[in-house]
Amino acid sequence: PRMGLRLVVFVGLLLISAGFLWMRVLHLHSPYWDMMWPLIVMSTGIGFCTAPSTLAIMTAVPDEKQGVASAVNDTTREVGAALGIALAGSILATRYTHVIATHLAAFPAPLRAPASHSLAQALEVSKKIGPQGTHLAELSQTAFLRAMDSSLLVMGVIIAVSAVVIAAWAPGRDDQQLLLVRRITSLRR
C-alpha cells in the first residue's frame, strides 16, 4: 500500500524480464549456479507481482462477490501461465526444428526426422548410431540452446513491454492512474 500497485508490479515484471534475458547467457556446459541466479531474480519478480495483483482483484469487488473475484484471480493466473508456456514452447519447438535441420544433412535419412522433432528424441537416436552419436548429441544440444535463447528473448521482451503498459495504466499509491491516462480515458467517455 505504501508504494502502490503500479510501482510494485512494474518492478516485479522488470525483474521477471531481466531473469529471462539473463538466462540467455547460459551455454551448453554452464553449471547450475549460472542458472540459479536468473531464477532467483525471476522468482523475486513473481513475488513482487503476486500479492499486489491479488489484492487489486479482491478489493475491486464488494464483499458478497469475493468468490467471483477469487475465481477471476485463479483463472487469470492459470490462463496466463498456459498461454505463456504455449507461446514459449511453440517458439522453442519451431526454432529447434529450424536450427537442427540445417545440420542433419550429414546423417542418414531415417535418423533426420526423429532428431529434428525434439532434443529428447535426438539424444535417444544419438545413443544408437555409434561414433556419429556424439556429434549428433552435441549438435542437438546446441540447437536446443539456440532455440531456448530465442524463446527467452521473446518472453523477456513481452514481459518488459507488459511492465511499461502496467507503469502507464495501473493505479499508483493514490489509487489514481497517471494524469495522461486519466485524460485519455475521459476523452473517450
Side-chain angles (χ1 to χ4, degrees), residues 102-185:
T102 60
H103 299 291
L104 290 178
F107 295 93
L111 302 178
R112 291 182 202 152
S116 67
H117 286 133
S118 72
L119 174 62
Q121 286 182 334
L123 293 176
E124 191 61 36
V125 167
S126 72
K127 293 175 186 175
K128 299 174 183 175
I129 62 172
Q132 282 187 311
T134 305
H135 183 61
L136 176 61
E138 189 173 304
L139 286 174
S140 59
Q141 289 169 341
T142 302
F144 182 83
L145 280 177
R146 287 183 59 197
M148 181 66 82
D149 182 67
S150 299
S151 183
L152 291 169
L153 176 63
V154 170
M155 296 307 288
V157 169
I158 288 172
I159 293 171
V161 169
S162 299
V164 171
V165 169
I166 291 292
W169 198 260
R173 231 182 347 195
D174 57 358
D175 282 335
Q176 296 286 319
Q177 292 176 310
L178 294 173
L179 181 59
L180 177 63
V181 173
R182 286 185 296 196
R183 286 184 181 163
I184 291 170
T185 55

Side-chain angles (χ1 to χ4, degrees), residues 48-115:
F48 272 50
C49 293
T50 302
S53 299
T54 299
L55 182 65
I57 291 171
M58 297 304 286
T59 59
V61 298
D63 288 344
E64 61 272 6
K65 297 287 185 179
Q66 290 297 304
V68 172
S70 177
V72 167
N73 184 46
D74 292 346
T75 302
T76 56
R77 286 208 183 126
E78 290 177 23
V79 170
L83 290 174
I85 290 166
L87 176 64
S90 295
I91 293 166
L92 183 120
T94 303
R95 184 78 175 127
Y96 172 80
T97 300
H98 176 74
V99 171
I100 195 73
T102 60
H103 299 291
L104 290 178
F107 295 93
L111 302 178
R112 291 182 202 152

